[in-house]
Amino acid sequence: MRIVIRLASIGIVFGLGVAGVAMAERPYPVTEKREACRSFDPLRRPLFGDTHVHTRLSHDASTQDTRATPRDAYRFARGEALRIQPFDEKGVGQRRVKLDRPLDWTALSDHSEMLGEVRICDDPSHPEYDNDICWTKRNGRMALLGFLERPSTTGKRHAFCGEDGKECKRVARGVWKEIRDAAEEAYDRSAACRFTSLIGYEWTSSLGGNLHRNVIFRNDRVPDYALSSIDTVSAFRLFEGLERECANGIEGCEAIVIPHNSNLSSDGYMFRSARLEGLEPRDLPIDREEARLRAKYERVIEIMQHKGDSECLLGAETTDEACGFEKLPYDNMSGAVGAPRIPPKQHAFVRDALKKGLRLSAELGINPMKYGFIASTDSHLGTPGLVAEDRHVGHGGASRVVSAAVPPGLPDAIEFNPGGLAVVWAEENTRDSIFAALSRREVYGTSGTRPTLRFFGGWSFDEDSCSGESVAQTGYAQGVPMGADLSERPASAKAPSFLVSALQDPGTRRRPGTQLQRIQIVKGWRDGEATHERVYDVAGGENAASVDVATCEPKGKGASSLCQVWRDPDFEPGQEAFYYARVLENPSCRWNQHLCVAAKVDCSDPSSIGPGYEPCCDPEVPRTIQERAWSSPIWYAP
């Protein structure tokens, strides 16, 4: 209620969407010196960004995939063209790429684990440049696995780092400063507020499964060293390190931690105890202190990216057909580089984690898995926001570690995708406003397109709420936005009501947006020790829309906008629950089909199937997709 009153007062005093609001009037703490934005909207607007971007500074990118520096990556995000590295060692395949639409904001996430080692091995002036490890890393793609093996399996640095890794840590501090300097140069502190850069890195732990997390800071008050999984063996130690060195060590320092690729966390290790420092004991309980730190730092989770969708997995009580979207066929990244492929586990997916959070909340009094949703790319080419299906060039990284994993005709392993986008509802395009949105979880993720999604929960929305002048004005005045908790249930209310609205991605002249098919609301709830889920279609629905896979031209009509007030028909006042909205677009061609069409592949004519284009005629490879967006949940507690 406090936020609603504050927003309403700003709207009365300054008007809606007015310019020139003084910095002191912001509905969040102002922690930086900058000009006030000319455009300030108290009802907030969607800002599209990417929180997961690697440059040549990352150990699994380096010069093997990209020569892009952090400065290059920020320029790309702002709309400048970039030449990406060749797909082979002879320079064949180098391409110039450019976004159709610039991003509003970006956070780079180079791996903190070997910032120093990568720089030493790429710097001819360093005395250790020609050591055996560095030489082999620079002279063969497979050698990259050897470069990674010692730190990832033993938690120790290479011998060339010196005693206690001091030399590599020293060099890493310099690289970390370069990252911060690049972010400062890219940040538009003028009143135009055209672009925001957030300082961050990736903490990359792989205890038999992906436990990776991106760390994003509020402003430029950050530690002088990026904590890695070599320094902090467990995620819990990372949280403690951020408490010690950021929150309690530097005035004005704040951070959030964003888990990603839970789909690759083997036996669901991402959602087990953050204190794990090995594979056993896998059932280590989550205690109240861990729950407190996770709830403080892990405000949002990456629900989709280049290496797959992590929302949900078909099986058991999950009968939701939309859960079949962009699934990897293995539960660990080793499946991408030749190891036996073990199918993914249902409890490694976010919907199951949200349900687990309800159980833990009842047990501990704190919900450590209360996640808002974003999506991003995980680009290892320094190309934030490069998500268009019809221009996919791959994202480097793991898919390039073993060249055999990528067919010669296609730029990426067939199970990967172009990635998604992170969207924040912010008053203005500044670090403070964006970080505040991430912290309160008023964010949503998309699979790469740019629909506008609003989701509010309350107790008094009526059918006229969609027909008023402003869905947002009604939503804030009568309820709470995505990412929040429902207010206490009035005695007269039988069930919560939800106001959900979606506008189609307007697209560009070259690439029009796809119309919408439907809005769904996903509910999860706890009944004693048991948890359940259900998916409701609330707006739109089945239509005759399709896509001609021979040309990738859309067929049939959808909706340009959808809006609905929905009341939970199965509400029980004593059951803790969460609700989130999912918007599905009409079908469109997947990236591989766009390339197959461009290559003029005709499956009835074997002579038209060039080397590497065999997947074009593989019936197991999907040709179409339904792009989508996921709102952050709204929670109800008795």
Side-chain angles (χ1 to χ4, degrees), residues 124-453:
S125 68
H126 194 280
E128 291 293 339
Y129 175 76
D130 280 326
N131 73 68
D132 290 345
I133 294 292
C134 286
W135 188 92
T136 54
K137 173 186 176 294
R138 292 192 302 271
N139 288 278
R141 193 175 296 276
M142 286 296 293
L144 182 59
L145 295 177
F147 183 71
L148 302 177
E149 183 177 10
R150 177 178 170 86
S152 62
T153 58
T154 68
K156 297 179 180 179
R157 298 184 183 274
H158 290 291
F160 69 80
C161 290
E163 183 180 356
D164 197 31
K166 288 182 180 178
E167 176 59 9
C168 288
K169 291 180 181 178
R170 180 191 71 80
V171 174
R173 282 185 168 84
V175 179
W176 177 230
K177 184 177 185 305
E178 291 177 22
I179 292 171
R180 290 147 48 200
D181 289 346
E184 182 57 36
E185 290 175 19
Y187 186 26
D188 183 2
R189 291 182 182 268
S190 76
C193 298
R194 295 184 185 90
F195 183 79
T196 295
S197 54
L198 296 178
I199 298 170
Y201 62 85
E202 179 174 331
W203 178 90
T204 314
S205 173
S206 300
L207 297 174
N210 178 88
L211 298 179
H212 304 185
R213 289 156 161 93
N214 291 335
V215 179
I216 308 294
F217 294 95
R218 179 180 194 126
N219 48 42
D220 60 358
R221 275 165 269 175
V222 304
D224 68 355
Y225 181 73
L227 290 170
S228 75
S229 61
I230 302 175
D231 311 304
T232 55
V233 181
S234 68
F236 182 79
R237 297 299 181 200
L238 170 65
F239 305 148
E240 286 188 321
L242 291 171
E243 283 281 271
R244 180 180 63 253
E245 298 180 21
C246 175
N248 299 328
I250 301 174
E251 185 177 357
C253 182
E254 294 181 60
I256 63 169
V257 176
I258 306 175
H260 63 266
N261 283 121
S262 65
N263 60 319
L264 293 170
S265 63
S266 294
D267 196 23
Y269 283 101
M270 182 69 78
F271 304 125
R272 296 181 184 273
S273 173
R275 294 181 186 268
L276 284 173
E277 297 185 1
L279 299 184
E280 300 295 342
R282 67 179 62 196
D283 292 323
L284 188 70
I286 295 175
D287 59 26
R288 187 174 172 82
E289 176 61 8
E290 177 188 334
R292 182 187 73 81
L293 287 177
R294 287 183 85 149
K296 175 179 179 178
Y297 286 103
E298 293 191 344
R299 306 294 293 173
V300 298
I301 194 166
E302 197 176 275
I303 201 165
M304 181 194 170
Q305 57 118 275
H306 173 52
K307 295 194 287 290
D309 166 88
S310 296
E311 181 198 0
C312 51
L313 187 70
L314 284 166
E317 70 172 347
T318 303
T319 58
D320 175 10
E321 291 185 3
C323 290
F325 179 70
E326 292 295 352
K327 290 295 175 288
L328 295 190
Y330 39 83
D331 73 346
N332 189 297
M333 206 55 218
S334 63
V337 293
R341 294 187 167 190
I342 301 171
K345 311 293 193 304
Q346 191 171 27
H347 51 274
F349 286 78
V350 174
R351 191 183 294 175
D352 266 47
L354 293 177
K355 292 189 288 185
K356 181 175 182 177
L358 298 181
R359 292 196 300 268
L360 290 169
S361 177
E363 176 186 337
L364 302 171
I366 301 173
N367 185 344
M369 296 176 189
K370 201 171 186 179
Y371 300 119
F373 296 163
I374 62 166
S376 284
T377 60
D378 195 10
S379 170
H380 284 64
L381 300 177
T383 51
L386 190 62
V387 293
E389 297 283 334
D390 65 347
R391 298 173 67 186
H392 186 45
V393 295
H395 278 310
S399 66
R400 309 301 305 179
V401 170
V402 179
S403 57
V406 182
L410 298 175
D412 211 350
I414 198 67
E415 65 265 28
F416 292 166
N417 71 85
L421 295 174
V423 194
V424 298
W425 282 103
E427 293 84 356
E428 59 189 344
N429 195 358
T430 65
R431 286 175 174 170
D432 277 326
S433 188
I434 290 171
F435 192 88
L438 290 165
S439 295
R440 69 176 179 270
R441 298 182 290 254
E442 195 175 351
V443 297
Y444 66 97
T446 85
S447 59
T449 55
R450 300 194 186 190
T452 299
L453 173 59

Side-chain angles (χ1 to χ4, degrees), residues 523-536:
K523 176 187 177 182
W525 72 96
R526 180 179 64 84
D527 183 8
E529 289 297 311
T531 56
H532 310 276
E533 64 179 66
R534 187 166 298 164
V535 180
Y536 302 85

